Amino acid sequence: RNARQYLVLHDPQLLKNYQERHEEYLKIGTELFDLLLDNTLKQKLLVLNQLEQTIYDELRALSTVVVKAESALEAPTDGQSDGATLDQQNNVQGIVQELISLAETAQSILQDTSSLINSEIEILRSMSANAKEIISWEVVAVIPCAVIFIIVFAILLSRPVREIDQAIRRLGEGDFDQPVVISGPRDLEYLGQRLNWLRLRLLELEEKKSKFLAYVSHELKTPLTAIREGAELLLEGVAGKLTRSQEDVATILRKSSINLQTMIEKLLSFNMPEATEMRSSIVRVDMGEVINSVVVDHKPAIIAKGLRVDLECENVSLKGDLEQLRVVVDNLVSNAVKYSPDGGNIQVILRVERDQLVLDVKDSGPGIDSGDKDKVFDAFYRGKRPDKSHIRGSGLGLSIAKEFVSAHSGSIVVVDEIQGAHFRVTLPTNIGKDTPWVAQ
């Protein structure tokens, strides 16, 4: 457009604008030539570049002629100016035709380029559709494979996890004889090796504990038995008749030795509740007979303190370990006898509530301090209330009772009372069930 305007107006500014466009065209043409992949388009672009360069050269030559013609107009001579004007017009007409040809060539390149772009777009669209179809089939194929992989992986991983869980359960139940062998990933196998090391360590400690308990049992009971027998012989007068004061001292020795022996037996039984559970003999236990038998055993102490024992026992039985249940009742009754004041009252109530055995043992003693209620079942804990007996308790009686009650899937709690202590034991009776009770 600048070139055609210049051909009409002969304005130097228009020619300058055209020259700037020409330089810009050369730069764009070079970049376009590098981008084009079609050889036909490259040939057309070369023709376009040559034609444009020809027009540019002709315009520069024409501009020189125009300048000379303008100078000649200022100083006219003969008919040479008319010839120059005629040549100038012919040149202009030629440039105009070349410009038309340039535009047509550029339009042809544009159309061919658009066609090539559309063709490439169709190719890409076809490739995209094919890729989408391939991906869809791959997804359809991958999903079942992934599900199968997940199932297989879960099976392979769950097996060693179950083995670890079983090994931990065996260790928790005190079964240290079976080795821990875990098959699976290397990390889980290493964990199995550490569990087996722990099993061996626990087995070693269990053996040491058993030896220690056997040693303590022998070393403590042997001299204690001698002390007790010596006190009995003194009281029987084997060494001669005793004075009243000597009889009191011998009585204290015998009673203290009996209490000390009871404490040692409780200490030993406390250290072996789990083993007792595993070897327990499950039978039908008549709880009324157990309570009556325990009260009879404590009758000398009851008579000595002038206590009154009220028994309200229903006919209740349950499946369990006779010795463990007897220990529970004995510990509760012995505590009641021990802490009741002279001439006090003890209540033992046995009943059934909603298929559960409920045993209440109450005394008229000082009761349990409010700060001790959450701790009385802890091993070796002795309350803040004073113990007036010659030998203080070991703090194991209630702890052992709780262990044995828990082994029977029951519970033992302290019931709030205005005066005295009140313990309540709740056990499942299993009445009417053919399946025997099994310790948990």
Side-chain angles (χ1 to χ4, degrees):
R1 194 172 91 180
N2 290 139
R4 298 183 69 174
Q5 289 175 347
Y6 174 74
L7 293 175
V8 175
L9 302 176
H10 302 295
D11 186 354
Q13 184 61 39
L14 294 173
L15 181 61
K16 183 179 179 182
N17 292 340
Y18 171 76
Q19 291 176 344
E20 293 176 356
R21 293 288 187 272
H22 170 74
E23 294 175 358
E24 185 178 354
Y25 169 81
L26 292 177
K27 181 180 179 181
I28 295 176
T30 303
E31 295 176 355
L32 182 60
F33 187 83
D34 295 335
L35 292 175
L36 288 177
L37 301 178
D38 188 77
N39 291 328
T40 303
L41 286 175
K42 285 188 174 183
Q43 292 298 327
K44 288 185 177 183
L45 184 59
L46 289 175
V47 173
L48 184 66
N49 291 340
Q50 293 174 0
L51 184 57
E52 196 280 333
Q53 184 65 37
T54 300
I55 294 173
Y56 176 73
D57 294 338
E58 291 178 351
L59 281 176
R60 290 187 61 186
L62 181 61
S63 64
T64 303
V65 174
V66 170
V67 172
K68 291 180 179 180
E70 290 177 352
S71 300
L73 288 176
E74 293 178 358
T77 55
D78 50 9
Q80 294 178 354
S81 60
D82 294 335
T85 302
L86 181 59
D87 293 337
Q88 183 178 350
Q89 291 178 353
N90 292 332
N91 292 335
V92 170
Q93 289 297 326
I95 294 174
V96 170
Q97 292 299 323
E98 291 173 349
L99 288 173
I100 294 173
S101 178
L102 181 68
E104 292 174 352
T105 305
Q107 187 65 30
S108 176
I109 293 175
L110 179 61
Q111 292 176 355
D112 293 344
T113 304
S114 299
S115 300
L116 179 62
I117 291 174
N118 292 333
S119 176
E120 294 294 332
I121 289 175
E122 289 299 327
I123 293 173
L124 291 175
R125 188 174 297 166
S126 176
M127 293 175 61
S128 176
N130 293 335
K132 184 177 180 181
E133 183 178 0
I134 293 173
I135 291 174
S136 300
W137 283 108
E138 289 178 349
V139 170
V140 172
V142 165
I143 290 176
C145 295
V147 172
I148 294 173
F149 176 78
I150 291 173
I151 294 174
V152 173
F153 183 76
I155 293 174
L156 294 177
L157 187 61
S158 62
R159 184 179 63 180
V161 170
R162 286 196 303 269
E163 292 175 351
I164 292 174
D165 179 70
Q166 293 173 0
I168 293 175
R169 288 179 181 273
R170 289 196 301 270
L171 293 178
E173 293 171 357
D175 181 9
F176 306 130
D177 297 329
Q178 185 174 352
V180 178
V181 180
I182 306 298
S183 58
R186 185 173 301 176
D187 293 342
L188 294 181
E189 288 183 354
Y190 176 75
L191 180 59
Q193 295 173 2
R194 303 309 298 168
L195 285 176
N196 194 58
W197 173 85
L198 178 62
R199 178 190 69 85
L200 296 175
R201 181 61 177 163
L202 291 175
L203 181 60
E204 180 183 356
L205 294 176
E206 186 69 19
E207 292 176 353
K208 289 182 178 180
K209 185 184 77 171
S210 299
K211 292 180 181 179
F212 173 76
L213 292 176
Y215 176 80
V216 169
S217 176
H218 179 269
E219 294 298 323
L220 291 182
K221 284 186 176 181
T222 300
L224 186 60
T225 301
I227 294 173
R228 182 176 176 181
E229 290 177 352
E232 293 286 352
L233 292 174
L234 289 175
L235 289 174
E236 291 175 1
V238 174
K241 185 174 181 61
L242 301 178
T243 64
R244 181 65 178 172
S245 299
Q246 291 173 338
E247 287 183 358
D248 292 340
V249 173
T251 301
I252 293 174
L253 287 174
R254 183 182 64 178
K255 184 177 180 180
S256 298
S257 63
I258 293 174
N259 290 335
L260 185 57
Q261 184 176 1
T262 302
M263 291 173 60
I264 293 173
E265 291 175 352
K266 286 184 177 181
L267 179 62
L268 296 176
S269 63
F270 174 77
N271 283 276
M272 296 184 292
E274 295 83 1
T276 305
E277 287 179 20
M278 299 303 295
R279 296 190 297 267
S280 60
S281 177
I282 308 304
V283 296
R284 176 65 67 174
V285 180
D286 187 334
M287 289 301 296
E289 292 183 0
V290 172
I291 294 173
N292 288 327
S293 174
V294 169
V295 172
V296 170
D297 291 343
H298 289 277
K299 194 170 183 178
I302 293 173
I303 295 175
K305 298 184 71 173
L307 301 177
R308 176 185 175 186
V309 180
D310 297 328
L311 299 179
E312 301 178 15
C313 300
E314 297 181 4
N315 186 15
V316 183
S317 63
L318 76 160
K319 292 179 181 179
D321 182 87
L322 175 60
E323 185 59 31
Q324 290 186 4
L325 294 175
R326 179 181 176 82
V327 170
V328 172
V329 177
D330 182 76
N331 285 337
L332 295 179
V333 172
S334 64
N335 272 355
V337 173
K338 181 179 180 180
Y339 287 98
S340 292
D342 293 344
N345 184 44
I346 297 175
Q347 285 183 293
V348 180
I349 304 172
L350 178 65
R351 64 187 187 279
V352 176
E353 291 184 358
R354 299 177 181 179
D355 292 338
Q356 286 188 325
L357 177 150
V358 180
L359 172 63
D360 290 299
V361 179
K362 307 178 185 178
D363 62 53
S364 55
I368 299 175
D369 192 270
S370 58
D372 295 335
K373 290 182 179 179
D374 297 333
K375 303 176 182 178
V376 291
F377 297 108
D378 294 344
F380 304 105
Y381 182 80
R382 291 178 289 190
K384 300 176 182 177
R385 296 288 172 88
D387 184 357
K388 297 180 180 180
S389 62
H390 294 289
I391 301 177
R392 294 199 65 188
S394 62
L396 292 174
L398 292 177
S399 178
I400 294 172
K402 183 178 180 180
E403 289 285 340
F404 290 160
V405 169
S406 299
H408 286 74
S409 301
S411 63
I412 180 171
V413 296
V414 178
V415 181
D416 292 332
E417 291 286 348
I418 298 177
Q419 182 181 3
H422 181 184
F423 292 93
R424 174 170 295 169
V425 177
T426 304
L427 297 170
T429 59
N430 299 286
I431 295 176
K433 295 184 179 180
D434 296 332
T435 303
W437 172 87
V438 179
Q440 301 295 320

